[in-house]
Amino acid sequence: MMDKLAQATEILKHAKYAVCLTGAGISTESGIPDFRSDRGYYTNFIPEDALSVGVLESNPARFYKEGYTILKDLEGKKPNPGHVALAKMQEKGFIHEIITQNIDDLHQAAGAKQVLQVHGDASTARCERCNYREDFKAFDERVQSGEIPPKCPKCGADMRTNVVLFGDAMPQAFDDAMRATEKADTMIVVGSSLKVMPVAYLPRMVEHLIIINKGTTPYDHNADVIFDGEASPILVELEKRLSE
């Protein structure tokens, strides 16, 4: 472990431009279930189906009974030491953009500034027609009252979460992530299996790759350094060494 930390520290200290890519593995340490895992009620439905545009449009009652529960899981969660360590690394200039597959806003809550949410943002909802915006709390109050799907208070069209559902086009944040990665020579991946496209394409664009993840990824053979374990203790120690 000590040798790996020293190697990762040197790579980041000498990087010309480093970015970070995070996935569910950093947020599970804040108590947010990974919907790809086999725990709890996620065994009762297929998230890729229930969290799809097709189900939202054709069977909204099912969407709000099944897929919507994943969004509700994010309420009240707080950033963990891993999120804080990344924010500090960004503030000190060791990494630039934080590209995240997560929809929980925990990077921002930890103080990170340049966060590209390539799978959207669960904290807001929008109107499909006029793009009226509403925060999740107000949106959820209407869902809980039985207004399914919630209607836009301005034009009456259906509203929906700002999360990128299966079947949606990728948002502008993904184009921004591509541009950031094109500038980068180094990427640190945290808590991602690197199996979900098109985000999983990004690590192949950089020269140096550091992976922190529980379990293997398809990019392990390309990585300079691999940490197999919980993200927070590794990130905290890495940030400490970078600041020495």
Side-chain angles (χ1 to χ4, degrees), residues 64-126:
Y64 284 97
K65 181 181 179 181
E66 296 181 358
Y68 187 73
T69 56
I70 294 175
L71 308 185
K72 287 285 288 177
D73 262 339
L74 307 179
E75 287 188 300
K77 300 301 189 294
K78 304 295 183 184
N80 60 58
H83 292 108
V84 175
L86 284 175
K88 289 180 179 178
M89 289 163 63
Q90 185 188 61
E91 182 181 9
K92 294 172 183 177
F94 293 110
I95 58 174
H96 293 82
E97 290 85 356
I98 296 175
I99 303 161
T100 186
Q101 297 170 280
N102 301 329
I103 57 175
D104 50 39
D105 288 359
L106 293 184
H107 286 299
Q108 294 93 321
K113 302 300 182 185
Q114 295 169 281
V115 182
L116 302 175
Q117 293 174 290
V118 295
H119 287 166
D121 174 15
S123 69
T124 58
R126 73 175 188 273

Side-chain angles (χ1 to χ4, degrees), residues 41-52:
Y41 54 74
Y42 296 128
T43 60
N44 299 325
F45 59 85
I46 302 171
E48 289 90 340
D49 188 6
L51 268 176
S52 70

Side-chain angles (χ1 to χ4, degrees), residues 3-54:
D3 290 341
K4 289 183 179 181
L5 281 166
Q7 189 178 357
T9 300
E10 286 303 302
I11 290 171
L12 287 169
K13 278 186 174 179
H14 293 96
K16 294 178 181 177
Y17 196 102
V19 295
C20 180
L21 170 62
T22 68
I26 191 170
S27 291
T28 55
E29 296 176 39
S30 289
I32 297 173
D34 178 356
F35 74 77
R36 295 180 183 279
S37 72
D38 56 1
R39 292 170 293 177
Y41 54 74
Y42 296 128
T43 60
N44 299 325
F45 59 85
I46 302 171
E48 289 90 340
D49 188 6
L51 268 176
S52 70
V53 176

